[in-house]
Amino acid sequence: MAKLLNDAELAQWRRCGAVWPLDLLTAGEAAALRARYEALDAATEGGAQSRYRIKAHLPFPWLWRVIRLPRLADAIEDLLGPDFVCWGSSFFAKRAQDPSFISWHQDSTYYGLEPPESVTAWIAFSDATSEAGCMKIVAGSHLGPEILPHDEIPDPDNMLVRGQTVREVDESLAVEMPLAAGQMSIHHNKTIHSSEPNRATWPRIGFAVHFAATHVRQAQFDGATAILLRGEDPDGNWLPDPEPAADFDPACLAALDLAWTRYQTAMRAQR
């Protein structure tokens, strides 16, 4: 029996490769997280989205509390089973009237997971409407080949590091996934997705949290780390991430920087 998702939501997941909208936070909780992100962003040279990549939660107890929310873990358990880790997280923020976009892609392209079976919860700290450039998916694309060919198309407005773009997407199959602040969507890492620029008068701020069952391993480098959220890791595929004692914990910042370096090195090796 599922812990959180109902039959219709599970059917949506199987059909589309994503499920949305799911209530996670109250409006007040979402507003508080938005305020904390905006303060961090304003105080960070180059912006929080650029500085804190791959494991954005590592140096911040307030983000650890988000990834450990029981309601979030219940939804992930319904999709992955009782044994799973959180191996990463990222901010995806577009300022008001921001031309930034995300091209059509599969997350599995550069994650390096074997098998490529990861899911991402996209949590809205502010309203992510169609006008604000919410995420959209190609419904059912998770059922196709594991990883499709991608072209790397550099564009200063593309939020993806290498501009990775799936070829010949049938946009007639595109479905938008609008979220109110405090809601989340969950998508499979093989589901093709993208987002348009933010045409709204408010910032679109999202926090993406990446999960995998413990039998999934990082194949691009040794010593991958994660947070065991539920169950067990009998094969020892994941070493433990350090937990922050306070914001900007030095050990956690070092672990974050190491993770980003490994990720960049693995991407370069795929050229």
Side-chain angles (χ1 to χ4, degrees), residues 61-229:
W62 52 281
L63 289 176
W64 276 66
R65 289 192 289 272
V66 173
I67 66 174
R68 287 173 159 171
L69 287 169
R71 186 172 178 83
L72 172 57
D74 284 347
I76 299 303
E77 184 170 340
D78 287 342
L79 302 176
L80 295 183
D83 306 307
F84 61 90
V85 296
C86 168
W87 61 264
S89 65
S90 305
F91 294 117
F92 284 95
K94 301 174 186 174
R95 293 179 170 84
Q97 303 294 319
D98 192 334
S100 298
F101 70 96
I102 294 177
S103 55
W104 289 110
H105 71 287
Q106 294 171 300
D107 291 338
S108 54
T109 311
Y110 298 113
Y111 279 176
L113 300 178
E114 183 60 41
E117 299 289 339
S118 180
V119 304
T120 295
W122 201 99
I123 303 168
F125 289 0
S126 64
D127 291 344
T129 63
S130 177
E131 181 184 15
C134 66
M135 188 188 304
K136 57 184 180 178
I137 62 168
V138 176
S141 53
H142 66 303
L143 300 173
E146 290 187 350
I147 300 177
L148 295 172
H150 285 62
D151 292 325
E152 294 184 5
I153 305 173
D155 188 315
D157 289 330
N158 194 339
M159 297 170 70
L160 298 181
V161 175
R162 290 168 64 166
Q164 55 264 36
T165 304
V166 173
R167 306 167 186 169
E168 300 179 359
V169 170
D170 183 356
E171 296 202 27
S172 70
L173 300 176
V175 179
E176 290 190 332
M177 300 196 299
L179 301 173
Q183 292 183 324
M184 68 175 174
S185 62
I186 305 174
H187 66 272
H188 194 283
N189 73 345
K190 290 188 290 187
T191 302
I192 300 171
H193 58 288
S194 70
S195 68
E196 299 291 332
N198 183 3
R199 300 179 299 277
T201 57
W202 67 90
R204 191 215 69 165
I205 302 169
F207 181 52
V209 189
H210 312 302
F211 303 92
T214 57
H215 74 268
V216 174
R217 66 183 183 88
Q218 173 55 254
Q220 295 184 133
F221 53 82
D222 295 331
T225 62
I227 302 166
L228 181 63
L229 289 179

Side-chain angles (χ1 to χ4, degrees), residues 227-243:
I227 302 166
L228 181 63
L229 289 179
R230 287 195 176 166
E232 299 179 347
D233 178 14
D235 298 322
N237 287 325
W238 302 93
L239 298 175
D241 272 322
E243 182 170 359

